Structures are given as C-alpha cells and as structure tokens.
Amino acid sequence: MNNAELNALKEEYVAFGAATPTTEFADRAENAELWDADGQRWIDFAGGIGVLNLGHRHPKIVDAVRAQLDKVMHTSAAVISYAPYVQLCQKLCQLAPVRGPRRKAMLVNTGAEALENAIKIARAATGRTGIVTFDGAFHGRTMMTLAMTGKVLPYKNDFGPMPGDVFRAPYPNPIHGVSEEASLKALRTLFKTDIAPHRTAAIVIEPVQGEGGFYIASPAYLKALRELCDEHGILLIVDEVQSGFARTGKLFALEHSGIEADLLTTAKSLANGMPLSAVVGNAEVMDGSGPNSLGGTYSGNPLSCAAALAVIEVIEEENILERSAALGDKLADRFAAWEKRFEQVGHARNLGAMAAFELLDSNGNPDPALTGAVCAKARDHGLILLSCGFYGNTIRILVPITVEDSVLEEGLNVIEGALEALC
C-alpha cells in the first residue's frame, strides 16, 4: 500500500488523539535513514524521539532479537522468568549511578511505566506520599505521570483532575529567568507552603529536560538538590528516559554531575527500538514494597531484554560514548555558526549529542511559529526534525549517534537551507 492508501485508513480508523499529523508511512529504515511507502528517502533527526541512539536496525541488535525469538518470545516474568531479564538487571545495577553498596532493578515497558513504578517504590520505601517535580518536566502520559508533567498542552488539557500530592517547582533555567538559587529557594518555600518535607517521598528531576526543551541542570545544582534531599530524608529520583544510554556522552547524563540517585529510570534507547524500561535503585529502597507488587504482563519481555543486552555491548565495542561527545562537538560548532549568521537563532546548548537551539523573534522572545515553519520546511526537503520546549521554540537534534558523516552533513545543510529561506 502507498502513503495515500494508508493515510485513508488512518483517517478512518485511528483515533484523532493518537494519529500523527504527517501523511507519510515508514516502510523500511537503516541507521539514520528511512524510506516511506512511496519510496521517498528521509533523513531521521528524530530517532524515534530519542529511541534510536544506535540507529535503525543495528545489525547486532537485530541478530540478538532474532536469536531470542528462536528460544522464548514471551512467558511473562511474573509467571516464569528467563535469563535475559536477570542478566539485564545485573548489567543495569553495575552501570547506573545509583547509591548504595547493593542495587536492584525491575523492568517494565515504557518510560511512563518506569516513572509510575519509581513513585510506587518511593512511597512504599519512605511511608510518605508527596512528590515534587519541575516546570517543563515531561514524565509520561499515564495519569500519575501527567500529574508530574509540567506542561498542559498537548498532554493534560483534555483529561480532567490529576492525581494529588504532586507539587511543582521552577526548573533552573537562566535563559528564561530562573537562576539555580531561585529554583532552590522555591523548593524550600514549597516545603513551607504546600508540602512539608517529612511528607515528601521524592523529588523527581530530568538532568536534561527532554520535551521541556533540552535545558541542562548544572552539576552544582544537582549536587545542591542531592544535599537538600539528604537533609530531609527525601529520595532523589532521576528521570533518564530521554537523556540516558549514551545520548549525552556518558551512559547516563547524571554521571556528568558526580552524584548518585536513589532511584533512576531509563527507557527509549535502552533497547534501541524494542519496548523496554527500567527502574534501578538502592536495594533497600527497591525492596520496600511487598511480593508481586511490581511488574506487568509484558514487563521485561525476552526480546526487549535481548536487545538491551546487545545495546550495552555495542556501546562498549563501538566507542559510542566517545562518538556521542564528538557528535555533540560537531553540532555545537554548527549551531555557533548559525547564531552568528541568523539573528533569530539563539541559546544553543548541548550535553554531548543531546543538542538544541532556539528560534527568537526580533525582541528576543520565543518564536514558536518560526520554529514550526523551519521544521515544516525541513520536512519538505526530506528531513525529519522535531521541536520541543515550554514555549515550543526549541529545535532538538536526536539523530542516531551512529549517523554517517555524509548523512549528518546533508541533514544539517537542510536545516541551514530552511533558516536561509525563513530568517
């Protein structure tokens, strides 16, 4: 079937809220390129929204999934477990920047599920209920994670009252007038006005905000947050769903700060396209809830676990962390050139290959209309490009770290052409 035929089916049968606005349909893909049902080639700077750090269909990961498919496809780890589940938990406990001499992990399917379970674990371990998150945060689309998400449109607007005992503080964002000191002061004020520290189970933070705009919490801020949590016996939950698995030049973005989390969530590129997420934490905290209190029918599916184990091997064997840092340097250089050339381009930033820049109007204010136009112009020239941010004016780059130099340059040239045409 071609794009038009598939689009007719989508309009007839796919719920409006779940349908993409685009009319193309992916048919096959390789590394940082894909081809739609009409045979048109696309350069992919979205990477499945940060899911494909190792590119589409990395051969070693495909082989690992095929090999597992020949053995066990599904049993449910809640019924009878299998080697890839426990082997992956072992690896994650060895690799994640989490406190304690002993760590444990549990596996689910999505980033939202990981955050939901982290909250359940934190509440069980502390006997407290309050959860503190940040403006601009995105933690998922389930009801609890929507309550934690710090942006109304398009995520929360239509869905009524959110679960309670969730509170919000301003994320440190000097670009938009929130200093680190102001953010920490707001947290302390929150403890006086809305939720007492002794009732607060956890503070949840993205070390680099994903949907919120790729804003980066500094090592100094994260250390101060760690100290604040320790002062009051509050657990620090670090959401690495989008920033984890080599995107920032480290396996986890938190490693740049030198601190450790009590609980850490990861998903997206953990299994490079297979549905999988994890909560990793201090063993005592992780064991705070009773038997059979965590998990689900598909949680830690054997195929996904096999993919994730292969991902870890590829990251080590192909020097992906070094490649991520180098890719980040290339992007930073190109962004700097655009900032000099186009007055509408500003606030470029990156941590490794987690990179973004903003588009601004003549007064230096966010310009979401121009941002949307640049993304649309890029799509007209065969580049899949995503915007994000609290104000909708950030262009983010989530191209696979394994992208070929020629394909990267081609994609960046498309963005530059769009800027030339529109700025």
Side-chain angles (χ1 to χ4, degrees):
M1 300 182 76
N2 61 27
N3 284 331
E5 292 166 334
L6 290 167
N7 200 58
L9 288 179
K10 179 181 75 174
E11 291 182 358
E12 181 71 18
Y13 296 110
V14 179
F16 177 74
T20 59
T22 56
T23 57
E24 298 83 19
F25 289 77
D27 184 62
R28 62 186 179 90
E30 202 77 33
N31 202 5
E33 300 169 276
L34 62 83
W35 289 262
D36 68 23
D38 289 349
Q40 180 181 351
R41 169 183 173 264
W42 297 83
I43 298 172
D44 186 0
F45 269 31
I49 317 183
V51 169
L52 299 164
N53 285 352
L54 302 183
H56 292 275
R57 301 182 64 254
H58 189 288
K60 183 159 188 169
I61 299 167
V62 171
D63 288 346
V65 173
R66 284 177 175 156
Q68 182 60 45
L69 186 60
D70 287 336
K71 297 173 71 176
V72 176
M73 184 175 180
H74 174 72
T75 67
S76 180
V79 176
I80 182 170
S81 198
Y82 30 86
Y85 188 110
V86 296
Q87 289 166 344
L88 178 58
C89 285
Q90 178 189 26
K91 284 284 188 182
L92 291 172
C93 289
Q94 292 169 344
L95 294 169
V98 170
R99 276 187 161 179
R102 293 182 60 245
R103 296 117 180 227
K104 289 192 175 183
M106 56 87 62
L107 307 177
V108 275
N109 303 289
T110 67
E113 277 189 272
L115 267 297
E116 289 265 356
N117 279 279
I119 298 308
K120 288 160 58 180
I121 292 165
R123 286 177 165 175
T126 63
R128 306 174 181 183
T129 58
I131 303 298
V132 177
T133 66
F134 291 88
D135 295 343
F138 181 85
H139 296 298
R141 295 177 184 262
T142 59
M143 290 303 288
M144 184 65 194
T145 55
L146 278 180
M148 296 160 61
T149 290
K151 186 179 180 183
V152 173
L153 289 171
Y155 314 116
K156 302 167 71 166
N157 194 56
D158 298 323
F159 302 121
M162 296 290 123
D165 251 7
V166 175
F167 306 89
R168 192 162 290 107
Y171 192 87
N173 189 343
I175 291 171
H176 294 296
V178 182
S179 68
E180 295 178 1
E181 294 78 11
S183 177
L184 292 168
K185 182 179 179 181
L187 280 167
R188 293 191 180 277
T189 301
L190 181 70
F191 290 153
K192 292 183 179 296
T193 60
D194 292 302
I195 176 75
H198 71 269
R199 285 194 52 241
T200 304
I203 295 176
V204 187
I205 190 168
E206 298 162 277
V208 184
Q209 287 196 324
E211 303 304 308
F214 282 33
Y215 298 111
I216 303 164
S218 74
Y221 181 84
L222 291 170
K223 288 174 183 175
L225 192 62
R226 175 74 273 178
E227 292 170 1
L228 181 67
C229 287
D230 291 343
E231 178 185 348
H232 296 292
I234 297 168
L235 298 181
L236 179 61
I237 300 176
V238 176
D239 179 348
E240 293 255 18
V241 168
Q242 192 162 155
S243 61
F245 270 78
R247 177 50 56 178
T248 68
K250 301 281 189 183
L251 192 63
F252 295 101
L254 188 64
E255 295 178 72
H256 291 279
S257 72
I259 69 162
E260 293 178 320
D262 296 299
L263 295 168
L264 182 145
T265 62
T266 186
K268 289 190 180 284
S269 282
L270 165 62
N272 208 66
M274 297 294 289
L276 186 67
S277 64
V279 184
V280 190
N282 174 280
E284 185 177 354
V285 172
M286 291 291 292
D287 286 343
S289 63
N292 205 31
S293 58
L294 306 173
T297 302
Y298 293 105
S299 299
N301 171 269
L303 304 180
S304 296
C305 290
L309 288 166
V311 165
I312 293 170
E313 290 183 6
V314 170
I315 288 172
E316 295 171 349
E317 294 170 358
E318 298 187 11
N319 300 315
I320 297 299
L321 299 182
E322 293 82 357
R323 291 172 69 174
S324 177
L327 175 57
D329 291 341
K330 290 179 183 178
L331 294 172
D333 289 345
R334 196 63 171 266
F335 294 172
W338 292 342
E339 284 186 295
K340 290 181 180 178
R341 184 177 175 193
F342 304 106
E343 64 179 15
Q344 294 90 342
V345 176
H347 305 315
R349 52 193 176 272
N350 74 293
L351 190 62
M354 195 163 185
F357 63 90
E358 298 191 18
L359 292 174
L360 311 169
D361 64 20
S362 58
N363 296 314
N365 296 316
D367 194 338
L370 176 59
T371 305
V374 168
C375 290
K377 180 70 73 173
R379 183 172 284 273
D380 289 342
H381 289 82
L383 176 68
I384 300 172
L385 188 65
L386 296 178
S387 62
C388 66
F390 193 78
Y391 298 100
N393 71 310
T394 298
I395 290 181
R396 55 178 159 169
I397 307 297
L398 287 169
V399 65
I401 297 164
T402 52
V403 62
E404 295 94 341
D405 288 343
S406 60
V407 175
L408 174 67
E409 187 66 18
E410 186 179 354
L412 292 173
N413 286 341
V414 170
I415 298 175
E416 189 164 310
L419 293 171
E420 289 172 344
L422 296 167
C423 292

